[in-house]
Amino acid sequence: TQLLEQSPQFLSIQEGENLTVYCNSSSVFSSLQWYRQEPGEGPVLLVTVVTGGEVKKLKRLTFQFGDARKDSSLHITAAQPGDTGLYLCAGADYKLSFGAGTTVTVRA
Amino acid sequence: NAGVMQNPRHLVRRRGQEARLRCSPMKGHSHVYWYRQLPEEGLKFMVYLQKENIIDESGMPKERFSAEFPKEGPSILRIQQVVRGDSAAYFCASSPLPPETLNTEAFFGQGTRLTVV
């Protein structure tokens, strides 16, 4: 069974601070995806990482994929209240397998 | 260009009743996945279907739960004789290709929140 562990489970920071959340897999997937879910809504894809060592930037969000393609991180610079949500990583093989997520709260 | 449509958004059932959750995938998408989510938890895989075929139902409870994706019409997740423990948000996702295809995105619906009273 492939497992995805995310840490921390909860993160509460002040507006303007930086934050990093982590995703670690017990094995290698074809690709790893990051989603953001707001209360009452379905998850929305942020990014897909495929290659070991890959770094992708999406405005204030930076995604890294470890060289061994088993760990990934999401770094948010100068967080804003609009970044509040549940951040989920998912490994893709013939289906998507999700971690438990990190609940991020950015206080104004 | 509608997204993944799930209905109803909210469903209340008494213990012992049946719950039918519907999912219309995006146009052109033939791969459908159902997930279950409890509050402040991630999504637990239930079943993966292609048109008229169940590909993987390893996440589905062996009893009371069934899923279908007919040639015509939406995908249906059916829960018979519901119990309080079935209360959760159920999400459907669709994709045009299998997930292992590089850069394939799965699009999620807004979910159906089932409450069993």
Side-chain angles (χ1 to χ4, degrees), chain B residues 26-99:
Chain B
M26 288 183 69
K27 187 176 180 180
H29 288 195
S30 59
H31 301 263
V32 167
Y33 319 86
W34 285 92
Y35 290 85
R36 170 188 161 119
Q37 186 177 38
L38 294 172
E40 296 185 347
E41 291 190 8
L43 284 83
K44 301 294 186 188
F45 168 78
M46 297 183 74
V47 62
Y48 166 30
L49 310 106
Q50 293 181 23
K51 281 285 187 181
E52 298 184 277
N53 290 306
I54 297 175
I55 306 302
D56 180 355
E57 55 181 350
S58 59
M60 290 264 280
K62 293 290 186 286
E63 297 178 349
R64 303 190 297 108
F65 285 72
S66 62
E68 62 178 9
F69 188 16
K71 186 176 180 180
E72 301 291 337
S75 175
I76 305 289
L77 178 67
R78 182 184 291 109
I79 311 173
Q80 296 178 301
Q81 299 175 325
V82 296
V83 301
R84 288 222 171 105
D86 296 333
S87 296
Y90 292 84
F91 287 93
C92 165
S94 74
S95 66
L97 296 168

Side-chain angles (χ1 to χ4, degrees), chain A residues 33-38 41-47 86-88 98, chain B residues 105-109:
Chain A
Q33 301 181 345
W34 283 93
Y35 289 79
R36 178 166 162 260
Q37 184 181 21
E38 296 189 32
E41 301 294 329
V44 176
L45 180 68
L46 296 174
V47 78
L86 177 65
Y87 289 82
L88 297 157
F98 284 85
Chain B
E105 179 177 352
F107 294 83
F108 282 82

Side-chain angles (χ1 to χ4, degrees), chain A:
Chain A
T1 302
Q2 295 171 315
L3 292 176
L4 286 158
E5 294 190 357
Q6 291 190 244
S7 62
Q9 186 177 1
F10 299 97
L11 191 56
S12 180
I13 61 170
Q14 200 70 32
E15 182 177 5
E17 294 181 337
N18 301 332
L19 69 94
T20 302
V21 298
Y22 301 92
C23 174
N24 294 291
S25 172
S26 59
S27 56
V28 177
F29 290 93
S30 301
S31 66
L32 194 138
Q33 301 181 345
W34 283 93
Y35 289 79
R36 178 166 162 260
Q37 184 181 21
E38 296 189 32
E41 301 294 329
V44 176
L45 180 68
L46 296 174
V47 78
T48 300
V49 287
V50 177
T51 306
E54 185 174 2
V55 177
K56 283 191 173 180
K57 292 195 173 185
L58 188 67
K59 296 184 180 179
R60 295 177 293 101
L61 278 61
T62 301
F63 303 85
Q64 289 189 308
F65 202 17
D67 291 339
R69 298 177 62 229
K70 287 188 176 183
D71 56 283
S72 181
S73 64
L74 158 60
H75 183 79
I76 301 179
T77 304
Q80 299 175 0
D83 296 325
T84 293
L86 177 65
Y87 289 82
L88 297 157
C89 68
D93 44 36
Y94 68 94
K95 66 179 187 285
L96 285 174
S97 299
F98 284 85
T102 295
T103 300
V104 172
T105 303
V106 182
R107 305 184 304 274

